[in-house]
Amino acid sequence: MYDGSSIEALVAILRGEVARLAPGDRLPSSRDLIARHGVGPVTVSRAIALLAAEGVVVTRPGSGTYVAARRARPADAEPDTSWQTVALAGRQFPAERPDEQAGAPAPGTIALSGGYLHESLQPTRLLGGALARAARRPDAWHRAPAAGLSTLRTIFARQTGGDVGPEDVLVTGGTQGALSMLFRALAAPGSPVLVESPTYPGALAAARSAGLQPVPVPMDEHGLRPDLLADAFAMTGARLLYCQPTFHNPTGSVLSPERRRQIVDVARAAGAFLVEDDFARHLGHGRPVPRPLVADDREGTVVHLTSLTKPASPSLRIGAVVARGPVMRRLLGMRRVDDFFIARPLQEAAVELLSTPTWDRHLRSLAGELRQRCLVLADALARELPDWSLLRVPEGGLHLWLRLPPGLTEAALVDAARTHRVAVDPGQHFFAAEPPAPHLRLGFAAAADPADLTEAAARLATAAGRAGTAGA
């Protein structure tokens, strides 16, 4: 038997032995290490492989494992990377967010931040079985087509609906990389891109990395406002709109049926592309989910994004872009430059996953779990923090969006929440311009248990009192 902890333990022991030996000295044989430490041969081989990859040891087949030569370097020497400041001048890239710089959360922290399911909600057994079956296929490790496996493209086309066919689908490694590719493909550096306000921070980062200038367009309780969208197109000359019509992140809103037609018409009249991020297609809470915008678009205005990552696992980096016309040819050209193709074993595993009836059962079970967690957190917040404004109880997605009361700042609350072992997402990161008010995004899917959500609300109430006192 072996596991990650036993490998790590053996690596630590071997590091200690290497530190006491001189370069060129031979380490004990694998047989000796197995007998001495009571581990299996696989554990020994993996531990030695890790040390060899780090350059700590050198393996010589048929001879043994030896301490590698140590590079001479003063113990107090600091690496000088100041030259990079000049080399990187003029190259803009999103900086690390302040909340990301805070480091790992303290033990016992309840996660109301982030955008992934807790492992208890992930179909890990289903994923493991799909990957095992995929690996047994004779062609599992062959090169995949640039556009993706035809079977997987057909599945995504069928899920999208309308007259979308497999030829309109490009398999991607999730949606974040696809967003970066789309922004580079659809607009020239320096161009404006219209976004909802608020919107997904990853989209803002991807747009800025592509050299685009995000321009916010306000929303109301029914989603993006078509009148202000038309004004924004007219004033900026933008040829690109990014939006999330279904279970919008962070607000959870769903674009009303009338507006779903209107914003496509407005974008088409402006000669613009509409990038529809449909990340939450499989995250409904039990009620019917509206058709994607692209299903009713025949002119190629809508470029559609979807993903399996959110309803399955952070490491199932499989998604799809649906596009028509010259833009698809451009995306295929970029694929051949960027990464050639998406790893075939992962695509084969996605085919296995989506082709089994247990996937649909997982989605139905997940819908019930998310609905319960959403209501638990909303009810707990209403009891503990009645002066916080919950803008809506969403019917899908993973988050609640709240406006903080006057006098309570995001920074003070986030710091106090961290002290009380609750991780939250400050609202300022979701705005392309100045936020109109302080907000928080609170997730209900990353906590280990629904009871943790009730405890988190109580901790936030204590943190809010402390933050308010500090602000006064």
Side-chain angles (χ1 to χ4, degrees):
M1 294 290 291
Y2 69 90
D3 55 28
S5 61
S6 61
I7 294 172
E8 293 169 3
L10 183 56
V11 167
I13 292 171
L14 292 179
R15 285 189 196 280
E17 293 197 21
V18 168
R20 293 189 293 270
L21 298 173
D25 285 352
R26 188 175 184 275
L27 268 67
S29 68
S30 295
R31 182 176 299 176
D32 290 340
L33 293 174
I34 291 169
R36 185 185 305 176
H37 301 291
V39 294
V42 176
T43 300
V44 171
S45 64
R46 290 195 175 187
I48 292 176
L50 285 171
L51 292 174
E54 296 173 6
V56 176
V57 300
V58 176
T59 58
R60 299 172 187 167
S63 176
T65 303
Y66 297 83
V67 178
R70 299 185 178 96
R71 290 178 293 180
R73 178 178 167 187
D76 58 349
E78 289 289 335
D80 182 8
T81 59
S82 58
W83 64 273
Q84 294 184 5
T85 302
V86 178
L88 294 174
R91 295 167 175 83
Q92 296 297 319
F93 197 81
E96 187 179 32
R97 295 186 342 203
D99 55 318
E100 293 170 337
Q101 299 170 358
T109 295
I110 300 175
L112 301 185
S113 60
Y116 296 115
L117 301 177
H118 187 267
E119 60 183 21
S120 63
L121 299 178
Q122 299 173 21
T124 51
R125 292 183 61 184
L126 186 59
L127 288 167
L131 191 59
R133 293 191 300 274
R136 290 195 295 267
R137 293 188 176 188
D139 56 354
W141 294 97
H142 291 186
R143 175 172 177 154
L149 299 182
S150 61
T151 308
L152 185 55
R153 294 164 67 199
T154 299
I155 292 173
F156 276 124
R158 186 173 64 248
Q159 289 182 348
T160 304
D163 62 351
V164 173
E167 69 279 3
D168 303 320
V169 177
L170 174 70
V171 176
T172 68
T175 55
Q176 188 61 40
L179 269 178
S180 178
M181 179 172 63
L182 283 174
F183 286 144
R184 288 184 287 121
L186 300 179
S191 301
V193 52
L194 306 186
V195 300
E196 296 151 317
S197 183
T199 191
Y200 167 50
L204 296 176
R208 288 166 177 151
S209 294
L212 307 185
Q213 304 296 321
V215 177
V217 181
M219 303 172 62
D220 60 20
E221 65 273 17
H222 302 295
L224 188 64
R225 289 183 52 179
D227 57 336
L228 296 181
L229 176 64
D231 291 344
F233 272 124
M235 289 188 296
T236 64
R239 292 293 180 266
L240 181 59
L241 164 66
Y242 166 81
C243 67
Q244 305 163 88
T246 305
F247 308 134
H248 171 267
N249 178 14
T251 68
S253 66
V254 176
L255 197 61
S256 65
E258 181 181 359
R259 289 191 182 182
R260 297 177 87 83
R261 294 189 297 271
Q262 289 176 343
I263 67 163
V264 175
D265 290 342
V266 170
R268 184 178 297 126
F273 288 103
L274 187 162
V275 174
E276 176 189 21
D277 188 346
D278 202 23
F279 78 99
R281 168 71 28 190
H282 302 297
L283 299 177
H285 295 176
R287 295 191 177 183
V289 179
R291 279 161 59 97
L293 300 181
V294 73
D296 299 309
D297 170 50
R298 299 179 59 86
E299 285 77 26
T301 297
V302 180
V303 179
H304 176 83
L305 278 173
T306 188
S307 173
L308 301 178
T309 302
K310 296 297 186 183
S313 164
S315 288
L316 186 62
R317 306 302 300 174
I318 290 291
V321 170
V322 176
R324 291 171 167 144
V327 67
M328 176 56 83
R329 293 191 289 274
R330 176 172 292 192
L331 293 173
L332 281 170
M334 295 179 69
R335 159 61 52 74
R336 294 184 177 99
V337 171
D338 287 352
D339 52 12
F340 297 118
F341 57 91
I342 302 301
R344 185 166 190 142
L346 207 55
Q347 292 193 61
E348 297 281 12
V351 171
E352 292 283 347
L353 180 71
L354 297 176
S355 301
T356 175
T358 50
W359 172 247
D360 291 330
R361 287 200 294 270
H362 161 68
L363 293 181
R364 290 193 295 270
S365 173
L366 178 62
E369 292 281 356
L370 293 179
R371 180 172 61 251
Q372 177 196 10
R373 286 164 171 259
C374 177
L375 295 176
V376 166
L377 182 57
D379 289 346
L381 291 170
R383 289 193 307 272
E384 301 285 351
L385 294 155
D387 56 339
W388 289 19
S389 298
L390 175 60
L391 301 186
R392 70 176 46 78
V393 178
E395 296 181 353
L398 307 174
H399 307 102
L400 300 180
W401 181 243
L402 298 104
R403 185 172 63 245
L404 301 182
L408 189 58
T409 67
E410 290 179 16
L413 181 60
V414 169
D415 287 344
R418 186 180 299 116
T419 300
H420 288 80
R421 293 176 298 159
V422 181
V424 299
D425 289 317
Q428 61 181 333
H429 302 311
F430 296 84
F431 292 93
E434 293 81 6
H439 292 80
L440 281 188
R441 189 189 73 169
L442 302 181
F444 45 79
D449 186 86
D452 290 340
L453 301 174
T454 302
E455 171 63 20
R459 294 184 188 181
L460 279 177
T462 304
R466 177 175 176 178
T469 302

